[in-house]
Amino acid sequence: QVQLVESGGGLVQAGGSLRLSCAASGRTFSVYAMGWFRQAPGKEREFVAAVTRIGVMKNDADFVKGRFTISRDNAKNTVYLQMNSLKPEDTAVYYCAADGQRFGPQMGAYWGQGTQVTVSS
């Protein structure tokens, strides 16, 4: 079992930046791939980015390219999502996920409670 707690969401103007954090506790953090997903009102949850336990990233969604960066610090049991040049369409609840076997959009053995990101125009 691993517990995930997201933080860092909030209200930001278009063009601004936020850094989301996801702190993990429980089983050894370093054995899990970590990912970020988001869900906007009325839409399905979508994959944002993921990073393997050794730092290999998957962040090739069109809306991510050049704007969002995922990273992890195994010493701090934390994964981050740096979001720059935010747009109103980035408004969503952002969820952290951990998975010991799957990587990418299919991952999701464990989930955090989510953190709200609201981008105003």
Side-chain angles (χ1 to χ4, degrees):
Q1 287 280 350
V2 62
Q3 292 77 44
L4 305 173
V5 178
E6 302 97 333
S7 61
L11 174 64
V12 64
Q13 289 188 333
S17 298
L18 283 175
R19 188 176 80 155
L20 306 183
S21 300
C22 173
S25 60
R27 293 190 63 184
T28 305
F29 173 77
S30 60
V31 306
Y32 293 97
M34 301 296 297
W36 287 97
F37 291 73
R38 70 183 188 182
Q39 187 167 19
K43 296 187 177 181
E44 294 186 353
R45 187 175 297 184
E46 64 178 344
F47 172 75
V48 177
V51 59
T52 68
R53 55 185 177 175
I54 59 171
V56 176
M57 294 181 288
K58 180 176 177 62
N59 55 0
D60 52 1
D62 286 342
F63 66 85
V64 168
K65 293 177 180 178
R67 300 193 301 129
F68 294 1
T69 302
I70 189 170
S71 61
R72 67 187 294 163
D73 185 336
N74 288 342
K76 296 182 178 180
N77 291 350
T78 302
V79 62
Y80 305 98
L81 184 68
Q82 178 67 43
M83 304 187 295
N84 299 326
S85 301
L86 283 161
K87 304 174 182 180
E89 51 264 43
D90 294 318
T91 294
V93 178
Y94 283 72
Y95 296 91
C96 175
D99 204 305
Q101 296 184 341
R102 296 168 294 183
F103 181 67
Q106 295 76 31
M107 65 190 299
Y110 303 99
W111 293 94
Q113 83 289 349
T115 186
Q116 176 70 48
V117 171
T118 303
V119 184
S120 63
S121 58

